Amino acid sequence: MTGDTLNPEKHSEAQASKGKEADIIRPTSHSAVDVMVANIRGVISERGLKVGDSLPTERELCELFQSSRNTVREAMRILKAYGIVTVRPKVGAIIVDDRMERALDLFSFNTLEVSRSTFMDIQGFRGFLEVASVDLLLEKLTADDLAELHRANDELRDAGSMVDASEADFSFHTRLMQVMGNKAILDVYKIMKPVILKIMIRGKTRRTFSTTTYCEHADIIAALEARDRVAYQYKMKTHLEAGFRHFDD
């Protein structure tokens, strides 16, 4: 054995160093940047940092995790893309919560084309939210909700362009989601907005929105006003499936 191995003081220092490094995630199959992202998220969790709180400075993170500035900067860029942090001049990195906005951006980027299969998937999912939820809708629906649905449908009828008409169409359906009072459901619905708008526009004209779509919405509102569960489900299901023929395989 060497003298260093028998030296209790050096052995103790080695053990202390080992213990200190145990809290730092070391690269294995992941890149140094991936590891740094995980380390920074760990700091946020362990310190109980909230939206508006500051993260440690770039230098502090370099020292804390024994990493280069380039690695820390790239990790910050990724966290910013996730909508978790923002970097402000003379202030540094601040925790934010823009994750939903980032998700909307990513969903929009990945829905450049809509196939028949995509149409069926999206409209089927919307069916779970808008058709199968009839009992919850009727339970929570108020006179104010009905008035807002009428207003949204009137905006659809009076829209001056295809873009305005599709936005009004989406607002009508979003208003139904709001009736449920579930923020998670509403957020998921909004994430799908880019592809839903593509579905709404396909095969339609501005006149189609102001006549056919407007009348279909009016029938849906009438069923809700009458508290007619069966009529509502039939009208909504028919409405959601109406555009199927406009999508290719």
Side-chain angles (χ1 to χ4, degrees):
M1 295 184 183
T2 65
D4 286 348
T5 304
L6 296 175
N7 188 320
E9 182 177 345
K10 289 191 175 183
H11 179 70
S12 176
E13 289 176 355
Q15 288 294 99
S17 177
K18 181 179 179 181
K20 181 179 179 181
E21 294 180 358
D23 294 332
I24 302 174
I25 300 173
R26 292 300 183 188
T28 53
S29 60
H30 299 290
S31 72
V33 174
D34 290 336
V35 172
M36 181 54 64
V37 169
N39 281 328
I40 294 173
R41 295 185 73 162
V43 167
I44 294 172
S45 176
E46 291 166 10
R47 299 186 182 183
L49 301 179
K50 304 180 295 296
V51 171
D53 290 342
S54 297
L55 280 172
T57 65
E58 185 178 284
R59 176 179 293 181
E60 289 171 339
L61 289 170
C62 288
E63 293 175 355
L64 183 62
F65 298 113
Q66 301 173 22
S67 186
S68 70
R69 289 202 169 196
N70 284 340
T71 298
V72 172
R73 286 171 183 169
E74 184 63 15
M76 283 295 184
R77 186 190 68 78
I78 291 174
L79 289 170
K80 184 177 179 180
Y82 286 166
I84 295 174
V85 303
T86 187
V87 180
R88 298 173 183 169
K90 299 182 180 180
V91 176
I94 304 294
I95 298 174
V96 295
D97 190 1
D98 293 335
R99 291 169 295 175
M100 185 56 60
E101 182 179 342
R102 296 289 82 79
L104 286 166
D105 291 342
L106 289 171
F107 196 89
S108 179
F109 181 78
N110 287 298
T111 54
L112 300 179
E113 295 298 332
V114 179
S115 65
R116 180 176 294 190
S117 176
T118 301
F119 173 88
M120 294 303 295
D121 287 343
I122 294 297
Q123 298 301 76
F125 185 68
R126 289 179 68 194
F128 281 118
L129 296 180
E130 300 185 59
V131 179
S133 63
V134 59
D135 291 328
L136 180 61
L137 282 171
L138 292 178
E139 176 188 338
K140 291 182 172 291
L141 191 70
T142 67
D144 287 342
D145 293 325
L146 289 168
E148 284 297 311
L149 288 169
H150 277 295
R151 183 193 59 76
N153 205 29
D154 288 344
E155 288 185 1
L156 171 67
R157 179 195 59 202
D158 300 334
S161 69
M162 287 286 287
V163 172
D164 291 341
S166 63
E167 287 286 347
D169 193 354
F170 185 77
S171 294
F172 175 87
H173 290 273
T174 303
R175 192 65 187 79
L176 279 174
M177 296 300 97
Q178 291 174 330
V179 171
M180 297 184 200
N182 186 309
K183 185 177 183 300
I185 290 176
L186 185 60
D187 284 345
V188 169
Y189 200 86
K190 288 181 178 179
I191 287 176
M192 297 190 298
K193 180 178 180 178
V195 71
I196 290 176
L197 290 181
K198 289 179 182 293
I199 286 172
M200 288 174 169
I201 290 174
R202 182 71 68 89
K204 290 183 181 179
T205 63
R206 218 237 21 108
R207 179 172 175 75
T208 306
F209 274 116
S210 64
T211 55
T212 304
T213 305
Y214 173 81
C215 290
E216 289 174 358
H217 284 182
D219 287 343
I220 290 168
I221 296 172
L224 288 172
E225 288 175 327
R227 303 283 169 169
D228 189 329
R229 183 180 187 277
V230 175
Y232 169 81
Q233 289 189 304
Y234 174 75
K235 295 294 184 181
M236 180 60 78
K237 186 174 186 294
T238 302
H239 175 60
L240 293 178
E241 295 177 353
F244 178 74
R245 66 184 182 279
H246 299 300
F247 291 85
D248 299 327
D249 290 326

